[in-house]
Amino acid sequence: MYKVSEFSKMTGLSKETLRYYAEIKLLEPVHIDPANNYRYYDNGSYLVGRLLVYLRRFNFSIQEMLTVVNDESFENLEQLIRAKKRDLEAEIQRIQTVIEEMDDFFEMGIGEDKND
């Protein structure tokens, strides 16, 4: 079992994030020592913690992460990640279009001082 500080270093999740995740029941400690309220995590918690790091990077919302974690079989995980990927690709295309429109705007000379 790992104390919060050890677990934080292992997973890359801050102590504050771990507290928040425990509060919302996303990643709860496997044991809380009644004598000192220290929270402990195990190897199973580590796997879920690392998964949550990736899901955060993949732009999953807290609600989406809760859905993934509550589906203990992770049966739909691949589908959810593929859907996120499609969303990101669409966002990239949208941003690229805006950049091209900005370039077109500048090429038209709008905004330049005509008195030069």
Side-chain angles (χ1 to χ4, degrees), residues 45-106:
S45 303
Y46 172 76
L47 296 175
V48 173
R50 290 301 302 155
L51 174 61
L52 293 174
V53 168
Y54 280 105
L55 295 180
R56 245 180 28 186
R57 275 194 210 140
F58 296 164
N59 206 30
F60 274 62
S61 68
I62 292 293
Q63 188 58 50
E64 289 168 325
M65 291 192 302
L66 279 164
T67 299
V68 168
V69 170
N70 289 331
D71 176 16
E72 293 175 3
S73 68
F74 299 110
E75 188 175 315
N76 299 312
L77 181 57
E78 184 177 348
Q79 284 178 298
L80 292 170
I81 292 173
R82 288 188 186 282
K84 274 293 178 195
K85 182 179 180 217
R86 283 190 302 274
D87 292 347
L88 288 171
E89 289 168 341
E91 181 66 6
I92 288 168
Q93 185 58 50
R94 186 194 69 75
I95 291 170
Q96 188 60 46
T97 300
V98 170
I99 290 170
E100 290 168 7
E101 290 172 356
M102 288 175 171
D103 289 341
D104 292 345
F105 178 83
F106 291 130

